[in-house]
Amino acid sequence: MKIARKKIPKGSFLLAASFAAISACLLLVLSSARSGRADALNRNGLYSGCQRSFGISNAEGDRLWDDIIPVLDDKFDNFALFLSVEDTSILVKGTFLNGEAEATPLLWGRYFDNQTSWTEHPTAVLGKDYQKDAAQRGRKLYYTYRDVEYEVIGIMGTEEKSRLDRMLVVDFRSALQMAGVNTSYVLDAKREADIIAIGEEMQRLIALPAELGMFLGEREDESMLDGIFSSGRIMDTVYTMALASFFLSTILVATLWLRFRRSLFYAWALCGYRKSLVLAEITRRFLAGVAAGTAIGQLSVLAVSLAVPDLPVGTIDILKASGVSLGLGAAILLLCVFPYLIRKQA
């Protein structure tokens, strides 16, 4: 049964416009952040920009890391170890990855985690220029390098040509077998303090005659403001502040939308409509405005991205922006609209 056929476009238009703005802002932020991180990783050769080189010497045998990796994996989050393999024809790196490191741009599949990067099973993420050399068996892809067959779990690269297109990243054990233990490494983490803490732990774990050559310096306690406004996080801070402003304004607009319909709520109550029917009708109208605004905002950004090549919008960005926008609308409905209706109907 239709409760009310008369529409009040004033509030609905304002609601849709607000969610169009928040959806467009979200999509721009997600696309810009992803594109910026991908460009930084490409320039730095998979490093975040906060990395430290070190070397190991005089180690006996090939199992040194078997005692170190489990301890580091258990005690620390968000760090990566890299090991380069000498090759004149292809850029090869081994990696152990734990936690949320910088997201490598992928065209297919997934990147390493702490399980796939520390395994007895040869595993690789392959640059897109070498995808044609991989063989498919069943649903899996395999790439042979130095007579070893690697299971390819992901294809990395960017739409434009980049260093990542001609790179092979293998699991840490496979790289150790090719380069040996006594070689150079790179430790990458999100903060300088994390690098120092991990370096100190490695110094404790590496026993003589093996030696760790790594300059650590002094660890300084980082204040909350230093962490927020550091050079690596300044844009993330700006993005967060912008989104918070949009969230607050959207909640305000939803409250205004509710006020525009006060007389309608009173009319429904006087007519004796059931509370469940009223809530269902309000839910339909509210979410229709949210969905329409979300679609309009995203279509506008997609139109802009066609004219601006430097702003690539990925499918994952659209899905994330849609999820957050619709989730915000549902949360506002539950926290602001329903309690008001239930209170008035009681």
Side-chain angles (χ1 to χ4, degrees):
M1 172 184 176
K2 288 284 186 180
I3 294 181
R5 297 182 179 275
K6 183 180 179 181
K7 297 181 180 179
I8 307 175
K10 183 178 180 181
S12 297
F13 174 79
L14 194 59
L15 182 69
S18 177
F19 273 91
I22 189 67
S23 178
C25 177
L26 274 168
L27 192 53
L28 284 170
V29 167
L30 291 170
S31 300
S32 300
R34 181 181 55 81
S35 178
R37 292 190 179 101
D39 290 342
L41 283 174
N42 181 36
R43 290 193 306 269
N44 296 329
L46 288 180
Y47 306 139
S48 67
C50 182
Q51 70 270 359
R52 185 78 61 85
S53 298
F54 68 96
I56 292 179
S57 59
N58 300 325
E60 298 176 350
D62 299 326
R63 312 299 291 185
L64 175 71
W65 286 100
D66 287 4
D67 296 327
I68 300 175
I69 290 292
V71 176
L72 298 182
D73 185 32
D74 182 60
K75 295 187 66 173
F76 302 100
D77 295 322
N78 301 329
F79 74 92
L81 290 164
F82 291 95
L83 166 60
S84 295
V85 177
E86 291 187 8
D87 194 312
T88 57
S89 60
I90 181 174
L91 183 58
V92 183
K93 290 185 178 181
T95 185
F96 171 76
L97 179 63
N98 186 28
E100 300 175 359
E102 297 297 327
T104 303
L106 293 175
L107 303 176
W108 169 83
R110 66 188 191 278
Y111 196 64
F112 287 104
D113 56 26
N114 63 343
Q115 299 295 322
T116 54
S117 60
W118 185 245
T119 176
E120 299 284 354
H121 178 64
T123 308
V125 173
L126 187 64
K128 70 175 184 180
D129 285 359
Y130 299 104
Q131 184 176 2
K132 61 183 183 297
D133 300 323
Q136 186 164 0
R137 294 201 300 272
R139 295 185 177 181
K140 293 185 178 181
L141 202 62
Y142 295 90
Y143 182 78
T144 301
Y145 177 74
R146 293 190 180 182
D147 298 326
V148 176
E149 189 176 65
Y150 294 86
E151 181 184 343
V152 179
I153 60 173
I155 302 295
M156 62 183 175
T158 56
E159 294 183 1
E160 303 79 18
K161 286 192 174 297
S162 67
R163 298 175 63 187
L164 302 180
D165 301 343
R166 301 184 61 82
M167 185 181 294
L168 172 65
V169 184
V170 300
D171 64 277
F172 202 66
R173 285 188 189 274
S174 296
L176 287 171
Q177 291 173 3
M178 289 184 282
V181 174
N182 295 305
T183 186
S184 298
Y185 303 83
V186 172
L187 171 61
D188 198 357
K190 291 183 177 294
R191 302 186 308 162
E192 182 73 12
D194 293 337
I195 290 180
I196 294 175
I198 296 170
E200 290 174 347
E201 185 65 23
M202 285 194 296
Q203 283 185 333
R204 187 185 68 81
L205 293 171
I206 294 178
L208 294 175
E211 296 179 0
L212 173 70
M214 183 179 187
F215 176 74
L216 295 176
E218 296 182 1
R219 193 190 321 182
E220 297 181 0
D221 293 332
E222 183 184 71
S223 67
M224 184 176 67
L225 288 178
D226 291 336
I228 294 175
F229 294 104
S230 63
S231 59
R233 299 184 184 178
I234 187 68
M235 288 310 299
D236 290 340
T237 303
V238 172
Y239 290 151
T240 302
M241 293 174 66
L243 289 176
S245 299
F246 271 102
F247 286 159
L248 293 174
S249 64
T250 303
I251 293 173
L252 177 61
V253 168
T255 304
L256 292 175
W257 180 89
L258 182 64
R259 287 180 177 274
F260 288 144
R261 279 157 175 74
R262 276 185 175 178
S263 58
L264 189 60
F265 298 157
Y266 289 135
W268 287 347
L270 291 173
C271 291
Y273 290 113
R274 295 194 307 272
K275 187 186 302 183
S276 59
L277 206 57
V278 173
L279 293 177
E281 182 68 13
I282 288 299
T283 299
R284 183 186 67 80
R285 294 187 178 203
F286 186 88
L287 293 183
V290 171
T294 299
I296 292 170
Q298 295 193 358
L299 288 173
S300 64
V301 174
L302 287 173
V304 171
S305 69
L306 293 176
V308 182
D310 292 335
L311 183 63
V313 177
T315 304
I316 187 65
D317 302 326
I318 296 175
L319 293 176
K320 287 181 178 179
S322 299
V324 174
S325 298
L326 296 176
L328 178 64
I332 291 174
L333 189 68
L334 290 173
L335 298 177
C336 299
V337 179
F338 281 0
Y340 176 84
L341 284 176
I342 293 172
R343 186 172 62 251
K344 289 296 182 181
Q345 293 285 324

